[in-house]
């Protein structure tokens, strides 16, 4: 398969390097096991996405092994078959213009909530900050059609949460950039774990919705470096 | 003890290096404590297996310290006594021709299900993918005879799962290759953990068997690089 | 922004290096996720504090990226915006003269107790040693005013515990030095975890208060190197 | 304080290096937090023991920082104050001639059983192998007298288990060598964790005592390299 050339080729190369590097956060924060999980990014200025190859080990991921697909999930460039979740990522990019990155894992605590089909209740200030409410549950959907992508888009449309727990499957997260989607995946597991632990020993009350609004507003606009 | 020579000696050397290296996955994924746990591989073209030595620390394992036994578990080459689980591995190779590798651990979540004698219910898409159903429980069996090997073979014969939870003992996994058996051991602990967590906070429903069939079929034939 | 000069500049440089280095304990002991959490120290001989910048990754923290603020939380020196928790730290320094360091995390087990609004009961000798009693719960308070700082000071005043669990938020710890506050944060998570685990399987009795007094007295005066 | 000279000085140096190195297993296997926990060894041919200094960080431990005490726990050589648990270690050496090493930790799962005052039930083959029965609970005892040492010796005398869970405190383990005691501490946490997890989701039956005897006998005499 020939390399992509010209300005778009340079952009693709940059995105491939970025997507390859972002996968290290999934192992660093314990979100993935063996070869499961994947990060993708939209290629700016083109109807393309870059995604992890299918079934390749995390310590073998390099810019060169990343795969380029069009937004129907069809392979455009790369020496490997794309992630088996590519159709779901592609569906999200086709239907959510503001999304620049998508992440999927089977991280254990988030997937435990997904296995029961229960949303993670917004009961911590850190959840209000990042998710602006509960982390919602999406439908059960089989791989091999648009069902997963459709479930993600329907659940997250009009919701502040960048994370959805696909029922009996695991979390998908979105972001303006791929790094934002990775952060959402990391924080999704973090709050899923803390609320799992909290709920084990007694009931946990959700925050007052007005407080959630205040915290979310502030975190999205004040936190970090501007 | 003299080294093995000729073509079979070269093959044995290759398998020893491979089996030694595969043990690093057991520590990497937190499946083993101290010197417990072991990986073995069948030697292609010979009635031999290569296995971990007994009671040797994981960071002292090299190709040279691996042990070669015949399929009755009798030492053929190597400077160390073979794993105390060698008889169980050998029994599996004698009775399951398609098996090229066997792994045994006391990984904590899988062993917790084994302690209660409960199968891990197939309630996640990742379980359907890798195990094609529940992870079954095998009988309680004492070390020192064929009882453990027999329990593994009887439980896994006619079952899609490459993993069995030996009651009040721990998981054994099999694979076409030793690497496949290692992957099954890693995924067995992963899904045992997620379903442990999920079940702590409420009931979890098994997937529809028809969906399990579709997912298993697809994963076994489409996932990864061909 | 110009560097600080003279003797106070040297002191500030030393404190910046110390505070930057202390953050490594938060990752080492698993207390923080992504960029959450922060350590601050009072600058001896000046009405200043040094604190982590807002939203900067742990592996990018250096002495140079640390931020200097006055005790109203106003930026005095540094190239970054200060932690969004600076007002809470500053309030503590203004109202507790003996405090030389403050730490804030969302460490999972301590935050699980905070989510339910339950104190960690003093039921282990290690808790009596370090905390001299229960780890108390502080009020729910929104970021953006003095409410969090006030809640910390009111809860810890007259209490032996250097840790407070701010309700539905997470732990804050104090110390004579920043290192003492870091130690308290590490031990707070440790005993929060052990008592979480203990309580999962049955009731746990608090220690006799007279024994708590004896243990606390001894640990504060005899333990360690003098 | 002058160095020890002659043959006994050489032996002491060797034991100091060994004890310093063994502490790395406590951090490797997650048994200790901050400066808590300690390993000691009896000095062969002398009424001496070598133990960790009090309150020193694990990554600062070297042969030179180890402390030499007599079997009353009085400092004989070393630049640091000995572990605050030295009296307990010394009591064990005075009253159990076959003990060459003692380890103490607050490892989380074992300490959780200790907090409730419940023995870990012998319900796994790995427990029968290493402990030959339940891991027993010792009395609650305050530091500062012989009470802890006496509780350890009384509980372990006539018991096959090398580990005792001191009530509302944590595990102590013994061994013929310090390395054996370290192994017992590592395995104690491992089986405490697995049985904690198992018991969370339902009852777990103890093994048949006759099977425990057979497993213990075999493991003590056949496992490992001879």
């Amino acid at each position: 398969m020939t390399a992509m050339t010209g300005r778009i080729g340079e952009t693709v190369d940059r995105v491939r390097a970025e997507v390859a590097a972002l996968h290290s956060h999934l192992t660093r924060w314990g979100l993935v096991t063996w070869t499961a999980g994947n990060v993708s990014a939209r290629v700016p200025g083109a109807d393309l996405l870059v995604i992890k190859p299918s079934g390749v080990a995390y310590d073998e991921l390099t810019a060169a092994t990343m795969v380029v697909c069009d937004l129907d999930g069809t392979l455009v460039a790369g020496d490997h078959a794309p992630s088996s979740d590519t159709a779901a990522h592609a569906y999200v990019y086709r239907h959510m213009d503001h999304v620049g990155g998508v992440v999927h894992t089977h991280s254990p605590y988030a997937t435990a909530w997904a296995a029961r089909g229960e949303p993670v209740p917004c009961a911590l200030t850190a959840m209000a900050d990042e998710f602006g409410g509960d982390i919602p549950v999406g439908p059960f959907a089989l791989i091999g059609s648009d069902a997963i992508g459709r479930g993600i888009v329907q659940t997250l449309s009009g919701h502040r949460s960048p994370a959805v727990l696909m029922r009996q499957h695991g979390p998908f997260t979105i972001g303006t950039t791929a790094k934002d989607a990775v952060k959402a995946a990391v924080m999704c597991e973090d709050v899923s774990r803390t609320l799992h632990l909290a709920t084990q020993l007694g009931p946990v009350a959700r925050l007052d919705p007005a407080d959630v609004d205040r915290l979310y507003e502030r975190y999205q606009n004040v936190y970090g470096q501007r």
Side-chain angles (χ1 to χ4, degrees), chain A residues 81-102:
Chain A
S83 165
S84 59
D85 297 305
T86 301
H89 291 245
Y91 189 96
V92 173
Y93 292 119
R94 286 205 306 280
H95 292 85
M96 299 183 100
D97 287 348
H98 63 290
V99 170
V102 178

Side-chain angles (χ1 to χ4, degrees), chain A residues 97-119:
Chain A
D97 287 348
H98 63 290
V99 170
V102 178
V103 173
H104 172 49
T105 78
H106 300 158
S107 63
Y109 286 93
T111 303
W113 291 94
R116 287 191 310 277
E118 276 185 49

Side-chain angles (χ1 to χ4, degrees), chain A residues 4-219:
Chain A
M4 304 183 72
T5 56
R7 182 173 303 171
I8 193 65
E10 281 169 36
T11 304
V12 164
D13 286 350
R14 183 177 54 70
V15 176
R16 276 174 142 169
E18 186 186 313
V19 171
L22 284 170
H23 280 89
S24 69
H25 292 291
L26 305 193
T27 48
R28 159 72 182 87
W29 297 103
L31 308 190
V32 289
T33 297
W34 204 251
T35 62
N38 36 72
V39 178
S40 74
R42 191 194 289 272
V43 178
D47 286 339
L48 298 173
L49 63 90
V50 169
I51 196 165
K52 181 176 175 291
S54 182
V56 173
Y58 275 84
D59 52 10
E60 293 170 17
L61 296 184
T62 62
T65 53
M66 293 299 112
V67 178
V68 186
C69 292
D70 66 23
L71 296 190
D72 292 318
T74 306
L75 183 68
V76 170
D79 298 324
H80 294 78
S83 165
S84 59
D85 297 305
T86 301
H89 291 245
Y91 189 96
V92 173
Y93 292 119
R94 286 205 306 280
H95 292 85
M96 299 183 100
D97 287 348
H98 63 290
V99 170
V102 178
V103 173
H104 172 49
T105 78
H106 300 158
S107 63
Y109 286 93
T111 303
W113 291 94
R116 287 191 310 277
E118 276 185 49
V120 185
C122 186
L124 290 170
T125 57
M127 268 199 80
D129 288 348
E130 174 74 19
F131 299 96
D134 288 6
I135 299 178
V137 175
F140 179 76
L142 286 186
I143 201 166
S145 73
D146 276 348
I148 294 177
R150 211 162 51 230
I152 298 168
V153 170
Q154 284 173 355
T155 310
L156 293 184
S157 294
H159 206 294
R160 292 195 290 211
S161 169
V164 52
L165 306 176
M166 293 300 285
R167 190 181 289 259
Q168 301 195 277
H169 182 175
F172 281 81
T173 59
I174 59 175
T176 306
T177 66
K179 188 170 183 182
D180 289 341
V182 168
K183 182 193 178 187
V186 172
M187 297 310 288
C188 175
E189 180 65 4
D190 187 56
V191 300
S192 295
R193 178 178 57 178
T194 301
L195 284 162
H196 177 94
L197 296 173
T199 308
Q200 282 186 312
L201 296 184
V204 173
R206 280 179 172 81
L207 296 180
D208 181 308
D211 288 338
V212 173
D213 289 351
R214 283 185 208 107
L215 287 163
Y216 180 74
E217 188 63 25
R218 182 186 165 89
Y219 187 77

